[in-house]
């Protein structure tokens, strides 16, 4: 069933005669059900022309004293009763020349003056197949997809011009047409293409899918269509660091909402001129949203930083915890890059023992995303077999939201440490026993000198929940501490030139320093423990 009614005829004829394609005519006539848009273009055009035959005869008969052979170019430019160039939007582009003869340009397609070909050849199965070939060649693993398109911003200008034309014509019949009454180009495009993509790739289109296929269109021939708007609405076009052009779709829409109708008509033709060529496809991009892997790591080396240690462009140590884990994940997930995060960090000379430290790795644009629990277990084993400096446990796929549990623990949870302490004065066992009785000691820590280059200067209050001592000899003892997360343990021992108060040295009334430090536990219940 043809979607247009008698009351649409006049507007449909006007648009068709000025170079608008059938699908755009449907949009301007408010056809908001999918089926008509999905029909083949040639079929739509033939049916539209049949539907409009009587209207065309009426329009032509309205022309006073029609010339038998010649139609002057001036009359064509001025437009005769809404027929601006009398070119039929058919298989070929038809123009009437000065001598009355008919010439055909571009025998394949008369390019729509509103959508610039988007709702013509870029909706057909042939084009969808080309996009799908690119998707299949990209090597991504996916079970559904989201399809997005980026149209040239000048399409908004052309649509505005066509709207003003139709609005004026409908006004003559005491009818109105609001901007929101027009079906959006992007909506119509998706109605047509989504089923074709699903059929070709054999997967559903899902707006929540992490796998995105995007097509970016351009139309160099009409790129200057937007430029007059900048002179009239300069505030709408401000340069942005990440944008190559100020003429973004949002900026153009903002200007179109501000400009007066009469100012627009003075600067831009209504209806818009017909272009010579359809849009070009700048890019077909495939991308997968990040996936997240979490676990806990133990670090057994006192010569291994958590992240690559690079100073002034020079690498200080050959590897890091981050790299020993991430290199394997990058290879298996076939990801482009990664971001490593953890619940706190230890210094290069500090070991992390016990159940280990929680960590998460964001894998950017992974090509492989589906793994069985057995495959993840084997990946964990591969990481553990590759180095004796670290071990990983509880390796698992997690959501972005779940990582928040790890970050909460950085400040709110407790951590346990063991340290080997040196004192400048000789000590007896009884000299350190008083430390065992101190509970929930509040200390003030000014940002340590050693991290001042990467942390803001501030005084942070932290709590030492408990301490336990074990005497070694007259200058050494072991100290076991349970503290608030975020406490600088080394500075609590030696005082950092008075920047941490009180400290072990001040409590003992002597100089104390730390020789070895181990993280015994990070009390964050995440990620969930797995039965290995």
């Amino acid at each position: 069933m043809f979607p247009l009614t008698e009351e649409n005829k006049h507007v449909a004829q006007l648009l068709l005669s000025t170079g608008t394609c059938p699908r755009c005519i449907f949009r301007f006539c408010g056809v908001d059900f999918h089926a008509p848009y999905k029909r083949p273009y040639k079929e739509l055009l033939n049916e539209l022309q049949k539907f409009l035959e009587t209207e065309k005869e009426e329009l032509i008969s309205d022309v006073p004293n029609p010339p038998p052979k010649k139609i002057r170019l001036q009359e064509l430019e001025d437009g005769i009763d809404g027929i601006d160039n009398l070119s039929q939007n058919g298989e070929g582009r038809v123009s009437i020349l000065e001598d009355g003869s008919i010439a055909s340009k571009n025998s394949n397609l008369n390019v729509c003056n509103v959508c610039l070909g988007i709702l013509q050849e870029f909706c057909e199965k042939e084009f969808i197949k080309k996009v799908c070939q690119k998707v299949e060649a990209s090597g991504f693993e996916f079970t559904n997809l989201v399809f997005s398109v980026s149209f040239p911003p000048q399409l908004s200008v052309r649509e505005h011009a066509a709207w003003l034309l139709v609005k004026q014509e409908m006004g003559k019949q005491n009818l109105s047409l609001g901007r929101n009454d027009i079906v959006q180009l992007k909506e119509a495009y998706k109605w047509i293409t989504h089923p074709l993509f699903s059929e070709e790739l054999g997967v559903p289109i899902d707006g929540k899918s992490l796998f995105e296929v995007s097509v970016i269109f351009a139309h160099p021939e009409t790129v200057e269509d937007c430029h007059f708007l900048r002179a009239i609405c300069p505030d709408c076009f401000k340069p942005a660091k990440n944008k190559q052009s100020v003429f973004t779709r949002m900026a153009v829409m903002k200007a179109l909402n501000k400009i007066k109708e009469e100012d627009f008509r003075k600067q831009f033709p209504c209806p818009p001129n017909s272009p010579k060529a359809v849009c070009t496809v700048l890019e077909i991009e495939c991308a997968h949203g990040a996936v997240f892997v979490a676990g806990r790591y133990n670090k057994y080396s006192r010569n291994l930083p958590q992240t690559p240690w690079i100073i002034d462009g020079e690498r200080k140590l050959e590897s890091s915890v981050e790299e020993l884990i991430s290199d394997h994940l990058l290879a298996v997930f076939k990801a482009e890059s990664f971001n490593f995060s953890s619940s706190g960090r230890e210094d290069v000379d500090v070991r992390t023992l016990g159940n280990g430290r929680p960590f998460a790795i964001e894998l950017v644009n992974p090509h492989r995303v589906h793994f069985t629990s057995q495959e993840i277990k084997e990946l964990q084993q591969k990481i553990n077999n590759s180095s004796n400096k670290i071990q990983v446990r509880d390796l698992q796929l997690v959501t972005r939201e779940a990582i928040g549990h790890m970050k909460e623990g950085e400040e709110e949870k407790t951590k346990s440490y063991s340290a080997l302490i040196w004192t400048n004065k000789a000590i007896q066992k009884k000299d350190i026993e008083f430390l065992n009785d101190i509970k929930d000691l509040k200390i003030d820590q000014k940002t340590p000198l050693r991290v001042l280059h990467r942390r803001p200067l501030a005084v942070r209050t932290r709590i030492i929940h408990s301490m336990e001592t074990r005497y070694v000899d007259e200058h050494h003892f072991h100290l076991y501490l349970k503290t608030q997360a975020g406490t600088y343990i080394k500075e609590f021992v030696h005082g950092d030139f008075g920047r941490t108060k009180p400290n072990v040295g001040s409590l003992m009334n002597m100089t104390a320093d730390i020789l070895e430090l181990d993280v015994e536990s990070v009390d964050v219940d995440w990620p969930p423990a797995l039965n290995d």
Side-chain angles (χ1 to χ4, degrees):
M1 184 178 148
F2 198 68
L4 300 186
T5 61
E6 284 297 315
E7 67 176 30
N8 300 134
K9 263 191 172 181
H10 193 67
V11 165
Q13 178 61 56
L14 173 64
L15 288 171
L16 186 70
S17 66
T18 57
T20 306
C21 73
R23 289 180 178 125
C24 279
I25 290 170
F26 290 170
R27 295 195 301 116
F28 279 89
C29 289
V31 177
D32 60 358
F33 47 103
H34 304 194
Y37 292 91
K38 295 177 183 178
R39 295 173 67 185
Y41 184 76
K42 289 179 185 177
E43 209 175 283
L44 281 180
L45 188 57
N46 290 336
E47 286 206 24
L48 180 61
Q49 286 171 335
K50 279 180 193 173
F51 172 73
L52 293 175
E53 271 173 7
T54 54
E55 179 71 15
K56 187 168 64 175
E57 285 165 14
E58 288 167 18
L59 277 171
I60 291 171
S61 67
D62 286 345
V63 180
N65 304 315
K69 281 192 175 179
K70 294 186 178 181
I71 295 177
R72 291 185 295 113
L73 287 176
Q74 186 57 46
E75 287 177 329
L76 292 179
E77 287 167 11
D78 293 344
I80 304 173
D81 203 20
I83 308 177
D84 281 86
N85 59 16
L86 291 177
S87 66
Q88 288 301 311
N89 200 334
E91 281 303 289
R93 185 186 216 173
V94 179
S95 300
I96 300 174
L97 305 180
E98 282 190 84
D99 63 358
S101 64
I102 293 173
S104 176
K105 304 173 188 174
N106 185 353
S107 60
N108 293 325
L109 184 76
N110 188 12
V111 183
C112 177
N113 64 342
V114 178
C115 72
L116 303 176
I118 296 289
L119 293 183
Q120 293 172 294
E121 65 178 60
F122 294 109
C123 292
E124 301 301 304
K125 281 189 176 181
E126 212 174 298
F127 175 69
I128 302 303
K129 279 186 176 177
K130 284 180 187 173
V131 176
C132 292
Q133 283 167 6
K134 180 94 185 243
V135 172
E136 286 166 342
S138 67
F140 282 95
E141 195 175 63
F142 59 95
T143 53
N144 52 27
L145 66 93
V146 59
F147 177 61
S148 67
V149 285
S150 173
F151 296 141
Q154 58 265 38
L155 287 181
S156 300
V157 177
R158 290 177 159 265
E159 186 154 302
H160 193 80
W163 170 61
L164 291 180
L165 175 73
V166 175
K167 183 182 168 191
Q168 183 182 48
E169 198 59 35
M170 288 178 71
K172 292 175 186 176
Q173 302 165 50
N174 294 319
L175 298 171
S176 63
L177 180 73
R179 285 292 297 270
N180 294 334
D181 296 329
I182 304 165
V183 173
Q184 293 295 308
L185 174 61
K186 201 167 272 192
E187 280 299 299
Y189 189 73
K190 287 181 179 179
W191 292 344
I192 305 161
T193 57
H194 278 190
L196 297 175
F197 272 112
S198 268
E199 186 185 339
E200 190 68 29
L201 292 170
V203 298
I205 302 285
D206 181 354
K208 293 179 180 176
S209 174
L210 287 176
F211 180 60
E212 181 178 16
V213 177
S214 56
V215 180
I216 300 167
F217 292 98
H219 197 261
E221 182 189 339
T222 59
V223 77
E224 293 183 5
D225 280 1
C226 306
H227 291 190
F228 75 95
L229 290 170
R230 191 177 189 180
I232 297 169
C233 307
D235 289 351
C236 299
F237 300 96
K238 291 177 180 173
K241 285 180 184 176
N242 59 339
K243 301 286 183 185
Q244 289 183 337
S245 168
V246 294
F247 296 103
T248 62
R249 184 182 164 277
M250 291 298 289
V252 168
M253 288 303 296
K254 194 175 174 184
L256 291 173
N257 288 331
K258 285 180 80 171
I259 192 170
K260 292 177 182 174
E261 286 185 18
E262 58 267 29
D263 291 339
F264 184 91
R265 287 175 183 278
K266 285 175 192 172
Q267 299 287 338
F268 198 82
C270 299
N273 298 327
S274 292
K276 293 173 186 172
V278 295
C279 283
T280 57
V281 177
L282 272 188
E283 234 172 321
I284 299 170
E285 291 179 335
C286 298
H288 201 291
V291 295
F292 298 83
V293 176
R296 301 176 82 101
Y297 72 80
N298 291 107
K299 171 176 169 289
Y300 301 122
S301 168
R302 294 198 189 277
N303 196 33
L304 184 71
Q306 189 196 57
T307 53
W309 194 5
I310 298 165
I311 299 173
D312 296 331
E314 186 184 336
R315 187 167 191 130
K316 296 297 179 185
L317 291 167
E318 67 178 26
S319 193
S320 64
V321 173
E322 175 186 289
E323 291 163 297
L324 289 173
I325 300 171
S326 299
D327 285 355
H328 294 280
L329 297 182
L330 272 179
V332 172
F333 282 78
K334 298 178 182 175
E336 283 182 8
S337 59
F338 70 91
N339 294 305
F340 180 93
S341 57
S342 62
S343 181
R345 60 188 293 139
E346 66 285 310
D347 291 337
V348 62
D349 58 349
V350 175
R351 297 186 303 177
T352 298
L353 308 176
N355 284 334
R357 186 185 295 280
F359 72 90
I361 295 174
E362 176 187 15
L363 293 153
V364 179
N365 204 23
H367 285 58
R368 188 184 170 196
V369 291
H370 299 117
F371 293 86
T372 63
S373 56
Q374 182 58 35
E375 285 172 324
I376 295 292
K377 206 174 273 189
E378 288 168 5
L379 176 57
Q380 176 176 295
Q381 197 56 49
K382 189 178 179 184
I383 293 168
N384 292 341
N385 291 342
S386 68
S387 173
N388 60 3
K389 294 180 178 181
I390 64 152
Q391 290 281 286
V392 168
R393 69 176 71 202
D394 301 330
L395 196 69
Q396 57 198 278
L397 287 161
V398 296
T399 63
R400 183 188 291 273
E401 292 71 30
I403 293 173
H405 297 303
M406 180 182 76
K407 288 298 175 185
E408 284 165 17
E410 285 190 4
E411 294 295 327
E412 295 171 11
K413 303 293 181 178
T414 60
K415 295 184 181 179
S416 301
Y417 301 87
S418 64
L420 178 61
I421 311 297
W422 168 87
T423 59
N424 67 328
K425 294 179 184 176
I427 55 169
Q428 299 297 318
K429 189 178 179 182
K430 62 181 181 180
D431 296 328
I432 58 173
E433 284 178 345
F434 78 98
L435 293 172
N436 300 341
D437 300 325
I438 296 174
K439 305 296 177 193
D440 296 327
L441 173 68
K442 279 190 178 180
I443 64 170
D444 290 325
Q445 293 197 302
K446 197 177 277 189
T447 304
L449 293 170
R450 66 189 171 91
V451 299
L452 206 48
H453 65 285
R454 58 182 168 87
R455 291 277 166 90
L457 179 62
V459 176
R460 298 170 182 85
T461 300
R462 294 289 183 260
I463 297 172
I464 309 297
H465 294 294
S466 64
M467 289 183 277
E468 191 180 320
T469 58
R470 184 164 63 82
Y471 183 78
V472 177
D473 59 40
E474 59 182 16
H475 286 286
H476 301 90
F477 68 95
H478 282 289
L479 180 64
Y480 302 92
L481 309 98
K482 191 166 191 175
T483 75
Q484 180 182 351
T487 304
Y488 292 104
I489 303 301
K490 291 177 178 177
E491 283 67 24
F492 171 61
V493 173
H494 59 61
D496 197 25
F497 302 101
R499 295 168 72 85
T500 291
K501 295 176 183 177
N503 55 70
V504 171
S506 68
L507 292 170
M508 295 180 68
N509 201 24
M510 62 182 71
T511 300
D513 207 350
I514 193 163
L515 301 181
E516 288 179 355
L517 179 62
D518 292 330
V519 179
E520 295 289 348
S521 74
V522 179
D523 301 331
V524 178
D525 299 326
W526 188 88
L530 301 178
N531 295 322
D532 293 334

